[in-house]
Amino acid sequence: MQSDNPTAAILVIGDEILSGRTREGNAHHLAQLLSATGFDLREIRVVPDDHDRIVAAIRALDKSLGGAYDLLFTSGGIGPTHDDITADAVAAAHGTGIEINDEARALLQARCDRMGTVLTENRLRMARIPVGATLIDNAVSAAPGFSIGNTHVMAGVPEVFRAMVDWLLPRLSAGRPVCSATVEVRRGESDVAEELKAVAAEYADLSLGSYPFHDATGWGTNLVVRGLDQARVDAAMADLRARIGL
């Protein structure tokens, strides 16, 4: 699919993802929103809680550091425990220091006051922010995410991650949302492959895909056309339907 939208990558951080202990859903959630709001997601990468691996991934993915993509979104590793090392790794990747951020500290203190708890040293770890970063609001638990360069760092807890994404995305410069059309056929992929190939060649600016499934009535295939121009998507789908006899 031809596109001039900003490109994006998602970096998921955490041993618990790679071990299979935690089912990863944040990347899936964000991927849907990026497509709907005008960002082209090009890569999803998962790395362990390893400082050097995180630094290397950020440098490879964030264009402001010579990496591949216009925007980088991260998930995980900014909590209160010893293995939450994302903030330190992001600071290292961007060549800056890390410190207790006054605004972040105030947010945490206000939450502790409301909850009747103490802002302990462990809780205060969540106010450690790379120097030069700006905060990402957290409407759920107050501990903020942050943005530096083209890297946007968010929590791994799904509810918190989603709240941060909802705050962040409207503040970014987006392109054009992706349009799509789908038709279900009760035939296997191989039975519609030639027709799909022909339409794909005719509409090279669009993305065409086939996605097989099996249910109680047998095999079928969803044929999907995606692009940035609804009229072109509709024309390609009409052509495809005609070729397969629908």
Side-chain angles (χ1 to χ4, degrees):
M1 181 179 72
Q2 296 175 2
S3 173
D4 54 5
N5 283 348
T7 59
I10 299 173
L11 179 63
V12 181
I13 301 164
D15 293 341
E16 70 278 10
I17 303 300
L18 291 169
S19 70
R21 183 182 184 281
T22 298
R23 184 188 295 272
E24 206 292 312
N26 290 341
H28 177 258
H29 174 74
L30 180 54
Q32 293 176 307
L33 294 179
L34 291 175
S35 178
T37 52
F39 299 94
D40 291 344
L41 180 62
R42 299 289 179 81
E43 184 174 347
I44 298 174
R45 191 178 298 194
V46 184
V47 295
D49 294 309
D50 179 281
H51 181 274
D52 292 344
R53 295 281 298 277
I54 299 169
V55 170
I58 292 169
R59 289 175 174 167
L61 299 173
D62 183 337
K63 184 172 284 187
S64 74
L65 299 173
Y69 307 113
D70 297 320
L71 297 165
L72 170 61
F73 303 91
T74 79
S75 167
I78 57 172
T81 59
H82 74 283
D83 58 342
D84 289 312
I85 61 173
T86 296
D88 296 271
V90 172
H94 284 268
T96 190
I98 192 165
E99 64 183 6
I100 298 295
N101 179 281
D102 289 340
E103 184 182 354
R105 181 182 188 132
L107 290 168
L108 291 170
Q109 184 65 66
R111 176 173 172 80
C112 287
D113 292 344
R114 291 193 302 270
M115 302 290 291
T117 58
V118 176
L119 183 57
T120 63
E121 287 300 314
N122 285 336
R123 292 191 177 107
L124 193 58
R125 279 181 56 83
M126 294 185 287
R128 296 174 70 253
I129 306 293
V131 175
T134 58
L135 301 186
I136 297 174
D137 186 70
N138 171 5
V140 175
S141 60
F146 57 87
S147 300
I148 184 169
N150 295 342
T151 303
H152 304 283
V153 179
M154 294 173 285
V157 177
E159 183 181 8
V160 178
F161 178 84
R162 294 184 180 208
M164 289 181 175
V165 167
D166 289 345
W167 183 90
L168 176 64
L169 283 188
R171 291 166 170 80
L172 301 177
S173 297
R176 292 176 288 169
V178 174
C179 310
S180 67
T182 304
V183 62
E184 178 186 301
V185 294
R186 302 305 305 196
R187 296 156 65 181
E189 279 188 298
S190 59
D191 291 335
V192 293
E194 287 303 316
E195 293 85 351
L196 189 66
K197 179 180 178 181
V199 177
E202 188 75 20
Y203 295 85
D205 55 317
L206 304 180
S207 173
L208 281 75
S210 61
Y211 306 94
F213 64 88
H214 185 270
D215 59 21
T217 62
W219 287 97
T221 305
N222 284 314
L223 302 176
V224 180
V225 180
R226 301 172 71 248
L228 300 179
D229 184 322
Q230 187 66 62
R232 288 284 290 171
V233 169
D234 291 343
M237 178 55 74
D239 189 356
L240 180 59
R241 292 177 67 95
R243 288 174 186 267
I244 60 179
L246 294 179

